[in-house]
Amino acid sequence: MNRSKDERIQRSEGRGSEGAGSAGAGAGAGAGAGADFLHLDVGDAPSGGRAGWLADRLRGALADGRLPVGSRLPAGRLLAADLGVSRGVVTEAYRRLTDDGLVEGRGRNGTVVVAVPAPETASGTRRARRPPTSPSSPLSPPPPPSFAAAPGPDVFDALRNAPARIDLSPGLPDLAAFPRAAWLRAERAVLSDLSAPDLGYGDPRGTPALRAAVARWLARHRGIRADPGEVLIVAGTAQALTLLARVLHADGVREIAMEDPGSLGARQHLAQGPLSTPPVPVDTEGVRVDALRAQGAPAVFLTPAHQFPTGVVLSGERRRLLGAWAREGGLIVEDDYDAEHRYDRPPVPALRSLLTDHVWYAGSASKLLAPALRVGWVLAPARYRDDLVAAKRFADLGNAALPQLVLARLMESGALERHVRAVRARHRRRRDAMVTAIRRELPGAVVHGAAAGLHVTVTFDRGGAGRGRQMDTELAAACLADGVKAHPLSWHRQRPGPPGLVLGYAARTPDEIAEGVSSIGGNLAR
Amino acid sequence: MNRSKDERIQRSEGRGSEGAGSAGAGAGAGAGAGADFLHLDVGDAPSGGRAGWLADRLRGALADGRLPVGSRLPAGRLLAADLGVSRGVVTEAYRRLTDDGLVEGRGRNGTVVVAVPAPETASGTRRARRPPTSPSSPLSPPPPPSFAAAPGPDVFDALRNAPARIDLSPGLPDLAAFPRAAWLRAERAVLSDLSAPDLGYGDPRGTPALRAAVARWLARHRGIRADPGEVLIVAGTAQALTLLARVLHADGVREIAMEDPGSLGARQHLAQGPLSTPPVPVDTEGVRVDALRAQGAPAVFLTPAHQFPTGVVLSGERRRLLGAWAREGGLIVEDDYDAEHRYDRPPVPALRSLLTDHVWYAGSASKLLAPALRVGWVLAPARYRDDLVAAKRFADLGNAALPQLVLARLMESGALERHVRAVRARHRRRRDAMVTAIRRELPGAVVHGAAAGLHVTVTFDRGGAGRGRQMDTELAAACLADGVKAHPLSWHRQRPGPPGLVLGYAARTPDEIAEGVSSIGGNLAR
C-alpha cells in the first residue's frame, strides 16, 4: 500500500484547524449547557443529587431501548464537559449502573451496555416499555412473491427476499469477482486527491471526471461519439427510465411501445411517467418494426444489443428500418444494459452511434461491476437535455461524488476494461454450463438468443400460448419451493405466449447451475 | 493498516474462479470474432492486408476523437486474441502509427496516443472532424446567477459555478475536516466483510446495517424512538422532500405551508409534488401557529431545531401549540438539517420524538459529514410508509450499498460522534469570528438566531420591507462581482421583508470570514 498517500489522508484530517483566539475553544470543549446524548439537561437535576439524576436518566434510556445492549456510553470526561458537571458526577452515575449489572467498564473500549433493567426498576422513564415485536412490525420479513397474481411493483423485492439455495434470477454479473482491491486502491487515491469543495453540493449532471470517463468508454466500447457535457450520471438505469419517462410525459408523450417479451422492470419504471406501454412483438431478428409502425406509438423502448429476455441481437435490416422510422420522427429509448458481455460474435455498435438525435441512450455499471453501485449514464437527444438535468436535480441533486470519482479512476486506468475481459471469460464458461445442463435436464426446452449477456431464456413446447402464463408461474413457484429462484417468462410478457423461464447464470458456479437446472427439470417432469 | 484484511480483499478477486472444462476457456481468451474496442471486425479486412486495415481503423478513431490524446491502446496480445489475428498483425499496425508520430510505446505503461492525425491523413474515417467547440457546446460554463430575476430551479447551481475568492453560501459544514482516514478504514472493512449478494440489487429501503445505525443515532442524539424497519434511507433531504411531496399529492394533499422566511431549496423540491407552498410567518419563537391555523393548509414544512434561515429555535409554547394542531389532523414535515450543531444551549429533541404519527422526519449526512455523500433518512407516519417505499423504489431502486455500509460503520464505531464533536468546537470558533466581523464591518446589521448551525442571517435597517428584495439582491450581486458569495435573504422569502444576507461560516477559516465580511461591508457602504 502507498504509505505517502495514506499520510496525506491522515494529514487531511488535521487540515483547516485554526487556533484563532475565541474564548474557551478547545477540541474537547462541549457546548456547556447540555448533551446531545439523550438530550440530558442538567437544569432538570435537583441540586446535590446530580449523580442520582443522571443514573436515573440512563436507566430510563436503557429500559426504553434508546440505549440497546452493546451500545457505548460516552467517555465520562466528555459527558461531564457537555453537562457542565464535575467528572465525579458522571463516574458515580456509571458506577451505580455497573453495580446494577447494567453496564460494564471495558478499559479502552469504554463503558458498554450489557443488560436492560427489569421493568419495575425503570423508575422515572417517561415512555412505556415496548412490546418486543408487534404482528405488523415493519421488521417482519416481506411476504414471498405471489406467482398466482400479475406481478406488482414489489415483485422483485419479494423474490429477492425469499430464501433459496440457488438464485438463477437474471440480471446479475459475477459479483464474487467484484474488484475489491482495485476499488479500495482507487478510493484511497480519490480521498487523497479530493479538494474540500468536491465534498460539497455538486453538479447535478455528475462529476466532470466520470462524465469524461464515460464519454471515452462509450467511444471506445460502444461506438458512440459524445461530448462529456452530454453525459448525465444517474442512479442506475432504473432512475434513467423514471426520469426520461417524466420528461417525455411533460413533452406530451403518452405512450412508449415495449418489446414483447420485454423487461418487466423497465416497463414498471416507464409507467411512472405516467406512460402507457403497448406491446410490439419480437422475433428472431429483434423488434418487429412493421408492427411498431402499425401500433403508432411515438416512442419505443429497445434492448438492441441483446434483447431482454429473448437474447436476440437486432439484425442489420431491422436497424435500417428502425433508422427510417426514427428519422420520420420516432423516438428510441436504447437500454444498453449488457452489451459488453458477448461471447461468440462481433460486437454491435449502439443505435445511439447512428441515430444521435433520435435516441435516448441508457447504460450502467450494474452489469459491468455491480448493481449495488447504483451508477448509470444517459445520453438524451439534445432537445431534451435541459429538461432531463432539471429532473435529475429535483430527484436528488445529483449522484454521490465519491463513488463517481472511484469509478472514473477504474475506467481511466484500464482496470474496468481488464475486469470486464476477465469476467467475460468466466461468464462464457458459465453460459456453456447452463446450456449443457438445459440440454441434459430439460428435454424439449428451446434455448433462445445469442451467446451473450448474463442470462438465457428457455421456452417449453408444453402448455401452449394460452396456458403459458399459468404453466410457467406454477413451475417457478415449484422451483422456489424447492430452493431455486428463476423468473417465469410470462412476467416479462404483456401478451400470451409459450411458457418459459428466464435463467441467470453469470453469478453462479457451474455446479450451482447444474444443480439448479436439475431441480427445474425435476419440477418440469412432475 | 490491517494486512490480514487487505489479504482477504486481494483473495476475494480470485473468488468464484472455476476451471470447469468448456472449450477454449482461459482467462485471456477473448470472444474470437471481433473486439469491443472500436467495434473492430476482422471480417471487414481485405485478406493479406490486415495490418494496414487495422492501422487505418485506428487512424480513423484518432482523427474523430474516439481515441483522444492520452488514451491507451489495448495490449497487442489481447487485441490480437479478440480479433482472431496473429499478434504480428497488431504489432505491425501499432508500428505504423508509431512511425506516424501518433502513438508511443511506453514499456509497461503500454501504447499511448500522443497526437491526432491532420485531417488529410485521416483517410477511411466515416465521420467528419468535429469543430473544437461550438457556441452552444454543453461544456461551456453555465451562466452566472441572475440576481435581478426571481430565483429559478438552477439558481444554486449557477451560484456554485460562479467564480469567487470566498464562498459564504450557507449549508456547508467544515469540509476540510472530512474524516478521510476513518472513511477509508471503514471502506476497507466493508469491502473485506461484504458478501457477493450485498453487491446485487438491494432493499429499496436501505441496507439493514445503516437503518439500524440511523435508528440508534436518532435515539441517542435526537430523542427519537424508531424501529430500524421504520427508517428509509434516501439520497439526501432533497430526495426526501421530492418523494414525500409526491406521496402527499397522491394522498390528496395540494398545499404545504412553508415558514417565511424559509428554505428556497426545500420549497423548490416540495413544489415537485406538485404542492403549493403558502407562506406562514416566523417570529423570534419560531413559526406562528396562529397564522398556520388561519392559513388552513393541511401540512406544514418546519425546521424546528434551528429555523432556516433565521436561526430561531422553536419555543416550548409553540411546540405545545403545534402539537395540538397536529393532533387535530395537521401533518408536519420536520427538516432536522443541522440539529447536531449547537454551541451555547441545551439540545432540543426532534418534534418527531413527541408526535410520532403526525411528523415526517428528514435528516441527512450532509451537515454531519458532507453533502457530496447524498445520504439521508426519512421517518414517515406509519400510514404513508408503504407509499414512500414504493416512491423510493421507482426513483432509483434504493441508495448505493457501499457508502451506506461505510456510514453505518462510522456511526456504530463512534467515529461519527467524535467527528461531530470535533467540528462543533471549530464551527463555534468560526461563528464567533463571523459575529465579530459583522459587528465591526456591518454597522447597524442585526444578527438573528441562536448560536447553532452553520450559518447566520443578518438584516439591514436600510431599504425597508418594500425595497428589501431589490436591496439585498443588488448587494449579493455586488459582493459576487467582488469575489464573495452569499445568499440574499429575499431568495428565501415569499413575502416582502427587510433586506438581509444569509452567510455560511462553517466551511471557512476565520481569516476568510473576516475578509469576506469586510468585502460585504465595503459594498454595503457604497
Side-chain angles (χ1 to χ4, degrees):
Chain A
M1 97 160 259
N2 184 329
R3 172 155 288 279
S4 76
K5 279 209 170 156
D6 255 26
E7 279 162 6
R8 243 178 298 156
I9 292 171
Q10 293 283 4
R11 268 207 312 281
S12 76
E13 296 202 354
R15 240 195 267 164
S17 72
E18 63 266 349
S22 71
D36 278 354
F37 175 67
L38 304 178
H39 295 95
L40 298 168
D41 182 355
V42 80
D44 301 342
S47 62
R50 285 170 164 183
W53 163 83
L54 179 58
D56 269 357
R57 288 298 160 98
L58 293 171
R59 274 195 203 97
L62 293 167
D64 70 7
R66 278 175 295 158
L67 282 179
V69 169
S71 61
R72 250 177 294 195
L73 302 185
R77 175 181 58 84
L78 295 177
L79 184 56
D82 282 353
L83 292 172
V85 301
S86 76
R87 185 150 174 205
V89 168
V90 179
T91 306
E92 170 61 16
Y94 284 11
R95 193 192 57 74
R96 294 188 192 180
L97 297 182
T98 309
D99 289 350
D100 293 349
L102 299 173
V103 306
E104 236 176 62
R106 295 197 179 156
R108 289 194 42 160
N109 287 320
T111 305
V112 177
V113 177
V114 293
V116 165
E120 63 269 30
T121 72
S123 61
T125 61
R126 282 162 303 173
R127 291 188 187 82
R129 195 178 176 80
R130 271 194 153 191
T133 315
S134 64
S136 66
S137 163
L139 268 184
S140 49
S146 163
F147 286 96
D154 60 351
V155 66
F156 300 117
D157 288 344
L159 184 62
R160 191 179 51 249
N161 287 319
R165 274 176 308 137
I166 297 172
D167 185 356
L168 298 181
S169 304
L172 297 177
D174 180 8
L175 297 173
F178 183 82
R180 298 176 192 219
W183 184 276
L184 187 62
R185 276 192 303 274
E187 178 106 23
R188 181 182 301 126
V190 163
L191 284 167
S192 170
D193 293 352
L194 209 61
S195 73
D198 292 334
L199 290 162
Y201 292 95
D203 189 325
R205 299 172 300 177
T207 63
L210 182 57
R211 298 166 80 205
V214 167
R216 277 195 279 271
W217 180 271
L218 294 177
R220 199 172 164 108
H221 297 275
R222 304 298 303 128
I224 295 172
R225 289 283 314 278
D227 187 293
E230 298 171 42
V231 176
L232 176 75
I233 303 302
V234 292
T237 301
Q239 184 177 61
L241 297 180
T242 296
L243 295 183
L244 76 83
R246 291 227 168 86
V247 169
L248 288 178
H249 186 270
D251 191 42
V253 173
R254 291 296 176 269
E255 54 176 12
I256 180 166
M258 288 283 299
E259 300 165 323
D260 189 39
S263 163
L264 169 62
R267 182 150 46 94
Q268 290 177 335
H269 284 276
L270 290 169
Q272 293 299 301
L275 302 177
S276 71
T277 56
V280 172
V282 170
D283 64 20
T284 54
E285 291 191 64
V287 71
R288 289 261 308 277
V289 182
D290 56 338
L292 173 62
R293 280 187 184 276
Q295 202 286 322
V300 64
F301 171 87
L302 297 176
T303 47
H306 184 236
Q307 203 271 333
F308 187 92
T310 68
V312 169
V313 177
L314 192 70
S315 74
E317 173 67 4
R318 293 287 166 81
R319 290 178 159 249
R320 204 183 52 72
L321 293 170
L322 261 177
W325 176 80
R327 288 193 193 89
E328 290 161 28
L331 263 182
I332 295 169
V333 174
E334 177 174 32
D335 180 1
D336 203 35
Y337 67 108
D338 69 358
E340 287 89 350
H341 302 289
R342 55 180 197 83
Y343 316 124
D344 72 345
R345 62 181 57 215
V348 186
L351 285 181
R352 167 83 188 192
S353 68
L354 312 168
L355 298 165
T356 310
D357 287 340
H358 309 282
V359 175
W360 292 79
Y361 175 89
S364 91
S366 295
K367 274 65 172 175
L368 288 173
L369 277 168
L373 298 179
R374 309 307 309 131
V375 177
W377 36 89
V378 187
L379 302 174
R383 65 188 182 283
Y384 289 115
R385 207 171 293 143
D386 291 347
D387 290 345
L388 182 64
V389 171
K392 174 64 176 168
R393 183 189 290 116
F394 282 121
D396 54 19
L397 299 182
N399 270 40
L402 293 180
Q404 287 188 71
L405 296 171
V406 173
L407 181 58
R409 286 208 173 234
L410 294 180
M411 284 180 152
E412 299 285 31
S413 69
L416 183 61
E417 203 166 306
R418 284 192 296 277
H419 172 72
V420 171
R421 188 178 286 276
V423 294
R424 187 188 290 150
R426 191 177 302 167
H427 287 168
R428 179 189 194 161
R429 292 195 294 274
R430 292 175 174 195
R431 185 175 194 280
D432 291 347
M434 171 71 82
V435 171
T436 303
I438 290 168
R439 300 244 180 282
R440 187 175 60 231
E441 307 281 355
L442 310 180
V446 179
V447 175
H448 296 265
L454 310 172
H455 73 276
V456 294
T457 289
V458 295
T459 54
F460 307 110
D461 55 0
R462 291 176 295 169
R467 284 194 57 248
R469 173 166 169 70
Q470 195 186 339
M471 189 271 182
D472 67 19
T473 52
E474 282 173 5
L475 178 60
C479 292
L480 182 60
D482 208 19
V484 177
K485 289 182 193 176
H487 285 189
L489 176 55
S490 60
W491 277 4
H492 302 287
R493 283 191 193 283
Q494 297 195 67
R495 299 187 305 185
L501 292 176
V502 187
L503 301 168
Y505 52 77
R508 302 278 78 86
T509 65
D511 286 351
E512 290 172 319
I513 289 166
E515 187 184 340
V517 175
S518 166
S519 159
I520 294 168
N523 282 292
L524 194 59
R526 252 160 235 154
Chain B
M1 91 161 265
N2 184 331
R3 171 156 289 278
S4 76
K5 279 209 172 156
D6 254 27
E7 279 163 5
R8 245 178 295 157
I9 293 171
Q10 294 282 4
R11 269 207 311 282
S12 75
E13 297 203 352
R15 238 195 269 166
S17 73
E18 65 267 348
S22 71
D36 277 355
F37 176 68
L38 304 178
H39 295 93
L40 298 167
D41 182 355
V42 80
D44 300 343
S47 62
R50 286 171 163 180
W53 162 83
L54 180 57
D56 270 358
R57 289 296 159 99
L58 293 172
R59 274 194 204 97
L62 294 168
D64 70 7
R66 278 174 297 157
L67 284 179
V69 169
S71 61
R72 251 177 293 196
L73 302 184
R77 175 180 59 83
L78 296 177
L79 184 56
D82 282 354
L83 292 172
V85 300
S86 75
R87 185 152 175 203
V89 168
V90 179
T91 307
E92 172 60 18
Y94 284 11
R95 194 193 56 75
R96 293 188 193 181
L97 299 181
T98 309
D99 289 351
D100 293 350
L102 299 173
V103 306
E104 236 176 60
R106 295 197 180 157
R108 289 194 43 160
N109 286 321
T111 306
V112 176
V113 177
V114 294
V116 166
E120 61 271 29
T121 71
S123 61
T125 61
R126 283 163 302 174
R127 291 187 187 82
R129 192 179 177 80
R130 272 194 152 190
T133 315
S134 64
S136 66
S137 163
L139 270 184
S140 50
S146 163
F147 287 95
D154 61 351
V155 66
F156 300 117
D157 288 343
L159 184 61
R160 192 178 50 249
N161 287 319
R165 274 176 308 136
I166 297 173
D167 185 356
L168 298 181
S169 304
L172 297 177
D174 180 8
L175 297 173
F178 184 81
R180 298 175 191 221
W183 185 275
L184 186 63
R185 275 192 304 273
E187 178 106 22
R188 180 182 300 127
V190 163
L191 284 167
S192 171
D193 292 351
L194 208 61
S195 73
D198 291 334
L199 290 162
Y201 292 95
D203 189 325
R205 298 172 299 176
T207 63
L210 183 56
R211 298 165 79 205
V214 166
R216 276 194 280 272
W217 180 271
L218 294 177
R220 200 174 164 105
H221 297 275
R222 303 299 301 129
I224 295 173
R225 288 284 313 278
D227 187 293
E230 299 170 42
V231 177
L232 176 75
I233 303 301
V234 292
T237 301
Q239 183 176 61
L241 297 181
T242 296
L243 296 183
L244 77 84
R246 291 227 169 85
V247 169
L248 288 178
H249 186 269
D251 191 43
V253 173
R254 291 295 175 268
E255 55 175 12
I256 180 165
M258 289 283 298
E259 299 165 324
D260 189 38
S263 163
L264 169 63
R267 182 149 46 94
Q268 291 177 335
H269 284 276
L270 290 168
Q272 292 299 301
L275 302 178
S276 71
T277 56
V280 172
V282 170
D283 64 20
T284 54
E285 291 190 64
V287 70
R288 288 260 310 274
V289 183
D290 56 338
L292 173 62
R293 281 187 183 275
Q295 202 286 322
V300 65
F301 171 88
L302 297 175
T303 47
H306 185 234
Q307 204 270 334
F308 186 90
T310 65
V312 169
V313 177
L314 192 70
S315 74
E317 173 67 6
R318 293 288 165 84
R319 291 179 158 247
R320 204 182 56 69
L321 292 171
L322 262 176
W325 177 80
R327 287 192 195 91
E328 290 161 27
L331 263 181
I332 295 170
V333 174
E334 176 174 32
D335 180 0
D336 202 36
Y337 67 108
D338 70 357
E340 287 89 351
H341 301 289
R342 51 177 200 86
Y343 316 123
D344 71 346
R345 61 181 57 214
V348 186
L351 283 182
R352 168 83 188 192
S353 69
L354 312 168
L355 298 166
T356 310
D357 288 340
H358 309 282
V359 175
W360 292 79
Y361 175 89
S364 92
S366 295
K367 274 63 173 177
L368 287 173
L369 277 167
L373 299 179
R374 308 309 307 132
V375 177
W377 36 88
V378 186
L379 302 174
R383 66 188 182 282
Y384 288 115
R385 210 171 290 143
D386 291 347
D387 290 345
L388 181 64
V389 171
K392 173 64 176 170
R393 183 189 291 117
F394 283 121
D396 54 20
L397 299 181
N399 269 40
L402 294 180
Q404 287 188 71
L405 295 171
V406 173
L407 181 58
R409 285 207 175 237
L410 294 180
M411 284 179 153
E412 299 285 32
S413 70
L416 183 61
E417 202 166 306
R418 284 192 295 276
H419 172 73
V420 171
R421 188 179 286 276
V423 294
R424 186 187 291 149
R426 191 176 303 166
H427 287 169
R428 178 189 194 160
R429 291 195 294 274
R430 292 175 174 195
R431 185 176 193 280
D432 291 346
M434 171 73 79
V435 171
T436 304
I438 290 169
R439 300 244 179 282
R440 186 176 60 231
E441 306 282 354
L442 311 180
V446 179
V447 175
H448 297 263
L454 310 172
H455 73 275
V456 293
T457 289
V458 294
T459 53
F460 307 110
D461 56 0
R462 291 176 296 168
R467 283 195 58 248
R469 174 164 169 70
Q470 196 186 339
M471 189 272 183
D472 65 21
T473 53
E474 281 173 5
L475 177 60
C479 291
L480 182 62
D482 208 19
V484 176
K485 289 183 192 175
H487 285 190
L489 176 56
S490 60
W491 277 5
H492 302 286
R493 282 192 194 282
Q494 297 195 67
R495 299 188 303 185
L501 292 176
V502 187
L503 300 168
Y505 52 77
R508 302 277 79 86
T509 64
D511 285 351
E512 290 172 320
I513 290 166
E515 187 183 341
V517 174
S518 165
S519 158
I520 294 168
N523 282 292
L524 194 59
R526 252 161 234 153

